Amino acid sequence: MKKNLYLYLFIFSLLINIFTYMYFSNRLAFEEKRNTSVSGKIKKLEDSLAVNKDLLERANYFSLNQNLNARNYFRDQDADQIAIKVRDGLYKLNNNEAGNPLITYPSINNAPFRINKIKVLNNRWVIADFTDGKMWGEVLIKYFIEDNGEVSYETVETLVHTHSMY
């Protein structure tokens, strides 16, 4: 009987050792595979991030923030604050009942044209998107910072697209 008990214990310990060995060897292979997979995903994310960063830099090439010469033009002034002042002034002109006076087209659909989005390109120009709810277009605006700090605007060119938005 003791002999059988020792035989069972030996077989049981042998099985435990085999299962333990298999577990740890498979776990090591699994961890290596997972690390390789994660490393590959990280590399893809880094590549994607680099591509998106490049696209963003290209998209913002014509902007006050990226244009060092335009920022230097405002020597002692904060260019970001000027851009905000220019933007707010353009949006304030939307309050006119006849629409924004910088948009040289008359009302087409009995609704005034109003500026939706703007981008300050440099120390002199702004491009803006406008709509009346059905038609839309773009306007290139020249802006000036007067000696008293006020901003004045002048329309350079306006374009209305001939097809409607809806």
Short mmCIF file of all heavy atoms in Angstrom, two decimals, residues 105-113 131-136 160-166:
data_model
loop_
_atom_site.label_atom_id
_atom_site.label_comp_id
_atom_site.label_asym_id
_atom_site.label_seq_id
_atom_site.Cartn_x
_atom_site.Cartn_y
_atom_site.Cartn_z
N TYR A 105 -21.40 90.60 -51.99
CA TYR A 105 -22.56 90.10 -52.71
C TYR A 105 -23.84 90.49 -51.97
O TYR A 105 -23.90 90.41 -50.74
CB TYR A 105 -22.51 88.57 -52.84
CG TYR A 105 -21.46 88.11 -53.82
CD1 TYR A 105 -20.22 87.67 -53.38
CD2 TYR A 105 -21.71 88.11 -55.18
CE1 TYR A 105 -19.26 87.26 -54.27
CE2 TYR A 105 -20.75 87.69 -56.08
CZ TYR A 105 -19.53 87.27 -55.62
OH TYR A 105 -18.58 86.86 -56.50
N PRO A 106 -24.86 90.87 -52.73
CA PRO A 106 -26.14 91.16 -52.07
C PRO A 106 -26.81 89.87 -51.63
O PRO A 106 -26.46 88.78 -52.09
CB PRO A 106 -26.96 91.85 -53.17
CG PRO A 106 -26.38 91.32 -54.44
CD PRO A 106 -24.92 91.07 -54.16
N SER A 107 -27.79 89.98 -50.78
CA SER A 107 -28.53 88.82 -50.30
C SER A 107 -29.17 88.11 -51.49
O SER A 107 -29.85 88.73 -52.31
CB SER A 107 -29.59 89.26 -49.30
OG SER A 107 -30.37 88.17 -48.92
N ILE A 108 -28.98 86.83 -51.59
CA ILE A 108 -29.51 86.06 -52.72
C ILE A 108 -30.79 85.33 -52.32
O ILE A 108 -31.75 85.28 -53.07
CB ILE A 108 -28.45 85.05 -53.23
CG1 ILE A 108 -27.24 85.83 -53.77
CG2 ILE A 108 -29.02 84.14 -54.30
CD1 ILE A 108 -26.07 84.96 -54.16
N ASN A 109 -30.84 84.80 -51.15
CA ASN A 109 -31.98 84.00 -50.69
C ASN A 109 -32.78 84.72 -49.60
O ASN A 109 -33.35 84.08 -48.73
CB ASN A 109 -31.49 82.65 -50.15
CG ASN A 109 -30.87 81.81 -51.23
OD1 ASN A 109 -31.43 81.64 -52.29
ND2 ASN A 109 -29.68 81.29 -50.96
N ASN A 110 -32.82 86.04 -49.67
CA ASN A 110 -33.51 86.85 -48.67
C ASN A 110 -32.97 86.62 -47.26
O ASN A 110 -33.69 86.78 -46.29
CB ASN A 110 -35.02 86.61 -48.70
CG ASN A 110 -35.63 87.06 -50.01
OD1 ASN A 110 -35.17 88.04 -50.60
ND2 ASN A 110 -36.64 86.36 -50.47
N ALA A 111 -31.72 86.20 -47.17
CA ALA A 111 -31.05 86.03 -45.89
C ALA A 111 -29.67 86.66 -46.03
O ALA A 111 -29.03 86.51 -47.07
CB ALA A 111 -30.93 84.56 -45.51
N PRO A 112 -29.23 87.38 -45.04
CA PRO A 112 -27.92 88.04 -45.15
C PRO A 112 -26.76 87.05 -45.06
O PRO A 112 -26.86 86.01 -44.42
CB PRO A 112 -27.91 89.00 -43.96
CG PRO A 112 -28.83 88.37 -42.97
CD PRO A 112 -29.87 87.65 -43.75
N PHE A 113 -25.68 87.40 -45.74
CA PHE A 113 -24.46 86.61 -45.64
C PHE A 113 -23.76 86.95 -44.33
O PHE A 113 -23.62 88.11 -43.96
CB PHE A 113 -23.52 86.90 -46.81
CG PHE A 113 -23.94 86.25 -48.09
CD1 PHE A 113 -24.39 87.01 -49.16
CD2 PHE A 113 -23.86 84.88 -48.23
CE1 PHE A 113 -24.75 86.41 -50.34
CE2 PHE A 113 -24.23 84.27 -49.41
CZ PHE A 113 -24.68 85.03 -50.48
N THR A 131 -21.82 82.26 -45.31
CA THR A 131 -23.02 81.62 -45.85
C THR A 131 -24.25 82.43 -45.51
O THR A 131 -24.21 83.27 -44.60
CB THR A 131 -23.17 80.18 -45.29
OG1 THR A 131 -24.27 79.55 -45.95
CG2 THR A 131 -23.42 80.19 -43.80
N ASP A 132 -25.31 82.17 -46.26
CA ASP A 132 -26.61 82.74 -45.93
C ASP A 132 -27.58 81.63 -45.52
O ASP A 132 -28.77 81.84 -45.39
CB ASP A 132 -27.19 83.54 -47.10
CG ASP A 132 -27.54 82.69 -48.31
OD1 ASP A 132 -27.24 81.47 -48.30
OD2 ASP A 132 -28.11 83.22 -49.27
N GLY A 133 -27.07 80.45 -45.35
CA GLY A 133 -27.89 79.29 -45.00
C GLY A 133 -28.09 78.35 -46.18
O GLY A 133 -28.31 77.17 -46.00
N LYS A 134 -28.01 78.89 -47.40
CA LYS A 134 -28.17 78.07 -48.60
C LYS A 134 -26.95 78.18 -49.52
O LYS A 134 -26.48 77.20 -50.05
CB LYS A 134 -29.42 78.49 -49.36
CG LYS A 134 -30.68 78.33 -48.56
CD LYS A 134 -31.77 77.75 -49.39
CE LYS A 134 -33.05 77.74 -48.57
NZ LYS A 134 -33.53 76.46 -48.31
N MET A 135 -26.47 79.39 -49.72
CA MET A 135 -25.28 79.62 -50.55
C MET A 135 -24.09 79.85 -49.62
O MET A 135 -24.26 80.30 -48.49
CB MET A 135 -25.48 80.84 -51.44
CG MET A 135 -26.68 80.77 -52.36
SD MET A 135 -26.54 79.51 -53.63
CE MET A 135 -25.27 80.21 -54.66
N TRP A 136 -22.92 79.57 -50.12
CA TRP A 136 -21.74 79.81 -49.31
C TRP A 136 -20.59 80.26 -50.19
O TRP A 136 -20.64 80.15 -51.41
CB TRP A 136 -21.36 78.56 -48.50
CG TRP A 136 -21.09 77.35 -49.31
CD1 TRP A 136 -22.00 76.50 -49.85
CD2 TRP A 136 -19.81 76.84 -49.70
NE1 TRP A 136 -21.38 75.49 -50.55
CE2 TRP A 136 -20.03 75.68 -50.46
CE3 TRP A 136 -18.52 77.25 -49.47
CZ2 TRP A 136 -18.99 74.94 -51.01
CZ3 TRP A 136 -17.49 76.51 -50.00
CH2 TRP A 136 -17.73 75.37 -50.75
N VAL A 160 -18.56 83.54 -54.34
CA VAL A 160 -19.75 82.78 -53.95
C VAL A 160 -19.82 81.56 -54.85
O VAL A 160 -19.68 81.68 -56.08
CB VAL A 160 -21.04 83.62 -54.09
CG1 VAL A 160 -22.27 82.73 -53.91
CG2 VAL A 160 -21.06 84.73 -53.06
N HIS A 161 -20.01 80.42 -54.26
CA HIS A 161 -20.12 79.20 -55.05
C HIS A 161 -21.50 79.14 -55.68
O HIS A 161 -22.51 79.47 -55.05
CB HIS A 161 -19.88 77.97 -54.15
CG HIS A 161 -18.49 77.97 -53.59
ND1 HIS A 161 -17.39 77.61 -54.33
CD2 HIS A 161 -18.02 78.35 -52.38
CE1 HIS A 161 -16.31 77.73 -53.59
NE2 HIS A 161 -16.66 78.17 -52.38
N THR A 162 -21.56 78.70 -56.93
CA THR A 162 -22.82 78.75 -57.68
C THR A 162 -23.77 77.63 -57.30
O THR A 162 -24.94 77.69 -57.64
CB THR A 162 -22.55 78.69 -59.18
OG1 THR A 162 -21.78 77.53 -59.47
CG2 THR A 162 -21.80 79.94 -59.63
N HIS A 163 -23.33 76.61 -56.65
CA HIS A 163 -24.23 75.54 -56.20
C HIS A 163 -24.55 75.76 -54.73
O HIS A 163 -23.77 76.31 -53.99
CB HIS A 163 -23.61 74.17 -56.43
CG HIS A 163 -22.31 73.97 -55.72
ND1 HIS A 163 -21.12 74.46 -56.20
CD2 HIS A 163 -22.01 73.35 -54.56
CE1 HIS A 163 -20.14 74.15 -55.37
NE2 HIS A 163 -20.65 73.48 -54.36
N SER A 164 -25.72 75.33 -54.34
CA SER A 164 -26.13 75.55 -52.94
C SER A 164 -25.56 74.46 -52.05
O SER A 164 -25.19 73.38 -52.52
CB SER A 164 -27.65 75.58 -52.82
OG SER A 164 -28.17 74.32 -53.12
N MET A 165 -25.53 74.76 -50.76
CA MET A 165 -25.02 73.80 -49.78
C MET A 165 -25.95 72.61 -49.62
O MET A 165 -25.53 71.51 -49.33
CB MET A 165 -24.87 74.50 -48.42
CG MET A 165 -23.47 74.88 -48.10
SD MET A 165 -23.39 75.91 -46.64
CE MET A 165 -23.15 74.72 -45.37
N TYR A 166 -27.23 72.82 -49.77
CA TYR A 166 -28.21 71.77 -49.47
C TYR A 166 -28.91 71.29 -50.72
O TYR A 166 -29.20 71.92 -51.62
CB TYR A 166 -29.24 72.28 -48.46
CG TYR A 166 -28.56 72.78 -47.20
CD1 TYR A 166 -28.33 74.13 -46.98
CD2 TYR A 166 -28.10 71.88 -46.25
CE1 TYR A 166 -27.70 74.57 -45.85
CE2 TYR A 166 -27.45 72.32 -45.12
CZ TYR A 166 -27.27 73.67 -44.92
OH TYR A 166 -26.63 74.09 -43.80
#
